[in-house]
């Protein structure tokens, strides 16, 4: 077979057959394998006279090399085409709309807690934690509410046994912290957390709620600082032009005790449905730490004094964001949560 003829035949096969890497290998075996035309020619060589052998040998080698080159080139071409196909299949279509990334959002109660924490950390407060299953001792007795005290009735709670209960107030952390600090270290803490009370569950009451407790104890803190602190908090939470007012109240663990109102942010004090016509909205209870509490918790009331306050996170959230049913705060309705991204 002549060189040109062989090349022509191979190219014809390349054009006529549906080639892939597999069929190419088969075709290669056909031309270059043991039963192929080139091998055949080599076999024929032994029948030739010796002087013709080199001439034919040269020719056959040229054929072999030419065929090998053709096959190698085709193989490379097919492999490249395969890679290209793969690449174009895997290509990203940047004109397609992207997938929706569903980000979570903070729960409004946590948002309130974080906001209050931020504010108080900025004023040098520490954030403290306490157990929700609390001892009667910390929840009541150290807070000047001995067993049988009538003030317990307002804070009936869920008892685990006679001495352990679901804490009815984060005020329990006041006693814990003062005892921990040992009676000679200044205290400046806030404590956000759950509290529980036996209560009707309706639009404004829940047996489980969230309080943020504040406590400052040192040698010279006064009610003026309490007022200043709560004014800053009211402005931060409800707007810069808010004012607060104190009304006398009663808590066994503070003396004097006060209830704190903030000027209505809806009507700016004129009177509306939110503030029930009074221009003021009650937001929290507070007072100067009762001497009995100080001394029971290891602080000498002749040297130390303190203030404390307790505010409901639900109340803040409901007022601030116009939420009209406390139960919706526990319902895990994403439509509510998503509004607080
Ligand atoms: N613990 C009180 C309550 O739950 C609130 C309070 C806290 C009052 C601290 C005074 C000082 O009603």
């Amino acid at each position: 077979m002549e060189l040109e003829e062989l090349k022509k035949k191979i190219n014809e096969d390349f054009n006529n057959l549906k080639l892939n890497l597999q069929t190419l290998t088969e075709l290669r075996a056909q031309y270059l394998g043991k039963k192929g035309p080139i091998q055949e020619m080599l076999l024929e060589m032994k029948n030739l006279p010796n002087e013709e052998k080199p001439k034919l040998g040269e020719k056959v080698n040229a054929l072999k090399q030419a065929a090998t080159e053709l096959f190698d080139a085709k193989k490379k071409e097919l492999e490249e085409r395969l890679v290209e196909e793969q690449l174009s299949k895997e290509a990203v279509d940047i004109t397609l709309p992207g997938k929706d990334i569903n980000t979570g959002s903070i729960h409004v109660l946590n948002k309130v807690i974080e906001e209050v924490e931020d504010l108080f950390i900025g004023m040098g407060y520490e954030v403290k934690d306490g157990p929700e299953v609390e001892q009667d001792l910390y929840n009541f007795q150290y807070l000047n509410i001995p067993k049988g005290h009538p003030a317990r009735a307002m804070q009936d709670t869920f008892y685990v046994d006679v001495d352990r209960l679901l804490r009815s107030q984060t005020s329990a952390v006041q006693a814990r912290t003062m005892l921990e600090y040992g009676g000679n270290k200044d205290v400046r803490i806030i404590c956000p957390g759950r509290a529980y009370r036996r209560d009707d569950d309706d639009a404004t009451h829940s047996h489980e709620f969230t309080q943020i407790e504040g406590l400052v104890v040192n040698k010279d803190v006064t009610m003026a600082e309490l007022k200043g602190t709560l004014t800053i908090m009211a402005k931060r939470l409800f707007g810069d032009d808010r004012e607060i007012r104190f009304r006398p109240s009663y808590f066994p663990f503070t003396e004097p005790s006060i209830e704190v109102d903030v000027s209505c942010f809806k009507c700016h004090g004129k009177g509306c449905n939110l503030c029930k016509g009074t221009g003021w909205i009650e937001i929290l209870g507070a007072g100067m730490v009762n001497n009995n509490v100080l001394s029971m918790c290891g602080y000498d009331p002749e040297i130390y004094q303190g203030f404390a306050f307790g505010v409901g996170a639900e109340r803040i959230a409901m007022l601030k964001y116009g939420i009209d049913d406390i139960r919706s705060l526990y319902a895990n309705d994403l439509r509510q949560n998503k509004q607080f991204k």
Side-chain angles (χ1 to χ4, degrees), residues 155 168-169 171 174 197 211 213-214 251 253-254 285-287 308-310:
Q155 294 197 11
S168 63
Q169 47 188 352
S171 302
Q174 288 188 31
R197 283 178 205 175
Q211 279 190 320
E213 189 83 13
F251 300 102
F253 38 93
T254 46
F309 61 88

Side-chain angles (χ1 to χ4, degrees), residues 112-120 190 212 233 237 316:
V112 167
I113 289 173
E114 281 188 5
E115 215 171 315
V116 175
E117 278 179 358
D118 267 3
L119 171 65
F120 280 91
I190 57 161
I212 307 170
M233 180 168 84
L237 291 171
I316 295 177

Side-chain angles (χ1 to χ4, degrees), residues 4-19 27 31 70:
E4 285 316 308
E5 196 188 335
L6 178 76
K7 279 189 185 171
K8 215 178 122 207
K9 267 198 87 180
I10 293 176
N11 272 322
E12 265 170 28
D13 280 348
F14 283 177
N15 288 333
N16 294 338
L17 294 174
K18 255 198 113 201
L19 276 188
L27 204 59
Y31 279 98
L70 277 178

Side-chain angles (χ1 to χ4, degrees), residues 106-139:
I106 189 165
H107 190 277
V108 59
L109 285 176
N110 289 328
K111 188 179 164 79
V112 167
I113 289 173
E114 281 188 5
E115 215 171 315
V116 175
E117 278 179 358
D118 267 3
L119 171 65
F120 280 91
I121 288 170
M123 296 196 288
Y125 285 60
E126 247 183 281
V127 179
K128 277 277 185 185
D129 242 344
E132 287 175 34
V133 177
E134 183 54 285
Q135 296 176 44
D136 187 283
L137 205 58
Y138 298 109
N139 193 82

Side-chain angles (χ1 to χ4, degrees), residues 6 8 48 74-75 158 161 175 182 206-207 231 240 249 257:
L6 178 76
K8 215 178 122 207
L48 287 179
K74 195 68 183 177
K75 185 166 181 227
F158 304 91
D161 57 38
S206 165
H207 62 275
T231 304
D240 263 348
S249 184
S257 299

